[in-house]
Amino acid sequence: MQQEGDGRVVRRIRNGEAASCTQGIAAGGGDGHKRQEVAAKDGKESEQKLLTLPTILTLSRVAAVPAMLAVFYSQERWATTAVATIFVVAAMTDWLDGYLARKMGLSSEFGAFLDPVADKLMVATTLVLLCTWPPAMAWARVAPWLLPLPAIVIIGREITMSAVREWAASQGGDIHKTVAVNKLGKCKTVLQMVALTLLLANRNGGGGDALGTAGVSLLYIAAGLALWSLVVYIRAMCNCLTRL
């Protein structure tokens, strides 16, 4: 009888240990499943934050570059209107993506990084295209350097400014604040977009010398503002460095 009682006790203990192990395994599996769900949820949230509506609009400006390239050299009658329309729509997204990011609270570090890259890529591409096929105007034959000159100034300024901002960002603090976009830079961007639109619309000389001259004049003003704003940024940064 004593042996039977001891056997029963042993079996109960073993059964209890097996049940505890099963529960532990089930709990561990539940925790792992929950961790997987949390990781998947975080991944989806990161993806959603990365591909916000403002960011998609910014990416559309990047996509406009090959579209312009494909249409610009076409000999079709609609090509001039098409390339000017692509540029205008892309330029409008430059304002719209920033507005939506602020209005909807969808600002992101990726969007802040991509926005100026898309702008510079689109402007530089348009300037290069116009230099390879200047508007059909009398002054283009007399002074072929009139268009490449502001193009070099604007592209050179953008490259220099990108390097300055990258260095200022590495320093942080007040130095980084001195190269934040100001009203002068915004005014330069607006004039630049209007000038390039006029020049693209007059690619085949359909708008006459008046339209082309207006576009070139505005482009020179934009180039002057580009240099002026660069001097303002560098001066503000140097003043900040002297106070440190």
Side-chain angles (χ1 to χ4, degrees), residues 125-209:
T125 301
T126 305
L127 287 169
V128 171
L129 290 176
L130 287 170
C131 287
T132 60
W133 190 343
M137 298 172 56
W139 57 260
R141 293 186 294 272
V142 177
W145 49 267
L146 276 177
L147 199 54
L149 180 59
I152 293 172
V153 170
I154 291 173
I155 294 175
R157 181 265 186 191
E158 296 300 340
I159 294 174
T160 305
M161 199 64 226
S162 295
V164 169
R165 283 202 170 103
E166 184 177 354
W167 180 83
S170 67
Q171 302 302 307
D174 293 336
I175 297 178
H176 190 203
K177 294 178 181 178
T178 59
V179 293
V181 178
N182 56 24
K183 292 182 179 180
L184 188 61
K186 293 179 180 179
C187 184
K188 179 268 301 180
T189 300
V190 172
L191 287 176
Q192 191 172 262
M193 295 300 185
V194 174
L196 293 177
T197 300
L198 295 178
L199 291 172
L200 287 173
N202 197 45
R203 184 192 63 154
N204 291 331
D209 286 356

Side-chain angles (χ1 to χ4, degrees), residues 16-117:
E17 290 177 349
S20 298
C21 290
T22 302
Q23 292 176 356
I25 293 172
D31 291 341
H33 184 63
K34 288 180 180 179
R35 285 194 295 269
Q36 291 177 354
E37 289 181 348
V38 171
K41 185 177 180 181
D42 292 340
K44 290 180 180 178
E45 289 179 353
S46 298
E47 183 178 357
Q48 291 175 353
K49 189 174 182 180
L50 187 67
L51 293 178
T52 60
L53 179 57
T55 304
I56 293 173
L57 289 174
T58 304
L59 288 172
S60 70
R61 284 205 302 286
V62 178
V65 171
M68 289 178 59
L69 184 61
V71 176
F72 186 81
Y73 293 106
S74 174
Q75 299 292 337
E76 300 294 335
R77 291 184 177 180
W78 49 263
T80 298
T81 302
V83 72
T85 302
I86 293 172
F87 182 83
V88 170
V89 173
M92 289 177 63
T93 64
D94 185 22
W95 167 82
L96 186 59
D97 60 4
Y99 173 78
L100 291 177
R102 293 188 298 271
K103 194 74 173 178
M104 302 172 65
L106 295 175
S107 300
S108 65
E109 292 184 1
F110 178 67
F113 157 77
L114 186 62
D115 183 68
V117 173

